[in-house]
Every structure is written in C-alpha cells, then in structure tokens.
Amino acid sequence: MATTDSPNANPNNTPAVKPPKPHARLEKWIWILIYGGLFVVILGIATGRTDAALGWSLAVPGGIVALIGFVLIYVRSRLPNTPTK
C-alpha cells in the first residue's frame, strides 16, 4: 500500500527548523554588487556610442563594483560556516 507522506516528512509532525545562514547579508551584497556593476558596465557601453567620455565614466566604476563583488565571493569562501554566538 502506498503512503501519501512525503519522504522528508517529520514523524512528530513538527516543522523542520532550518539552520541560520550566518553570512546571508554578505551573500545578498555580493550579488547586488555583481549584477549592479555589470548593469552599469552595459549602460556605459551603450552610452559610449554617443558620448565616449560619459560611457567610460559609467563603465569603469561599474566594472570596479562588479570586481568587488567577485572578490567578495572569494572572501566568502574563506569564512567559516559556523554561526557566531
């Protein structure tokens, strides 16, 4: 006889408690910096077709911001996963 219970169901019918993500704020900022920086780079490239100076002044800071996001990925990989108390 087949059961309708999911294979991950708790036998005590208590909700599963997820462990806290100790670096969730850092991970959020990593992706904001990467995608925001790449967006500004694209905006700079598109603007550079009509005004080269303005295009460069947008693309370079956007690239630096995206690079900071990529560096933070490396920093995050070196942090311990244990939550601090």
Side-chain angles (χ1 to χ4, degrees):
M1 180 173 186
T3 63
T4 58
D5 293 338
S6 67
N8 296 329
N10 265 343
N12 297 337
N13 291 334
T14 58
V17 177
K18 293 183 181 178
K21 292 186 74 173
H23 305 296
R25 184 181 299 161
L26 177 63
E27 292 174 9
K28 178 182 75 170
W29 276 105
I30 287 170
W31 295 111
I32 288 172
L33 290 172
I34 290 174
Y35 284 120
L38 291 177
F39 177 73
V40 174
V41 167
I42 299 289
L43 203 62
I45 292 171
T47 304
R49 293 179 180 171
T50 57
D51 186 4
L54 182 60
W56 279 105
S57 66
L58 284 172
V60 171
I64 292 171
V65 168
L67 182 64
I68 290 170
F70 287 119
V71 169
L72 284 178
I73 289 177
Y74 175 77
V75 169
R76 169 61 184 97
S77 73
R78 297 296 174 201
L79 292 176
N81 285 329
T82 57
T84 58
K85 293 182 181 181

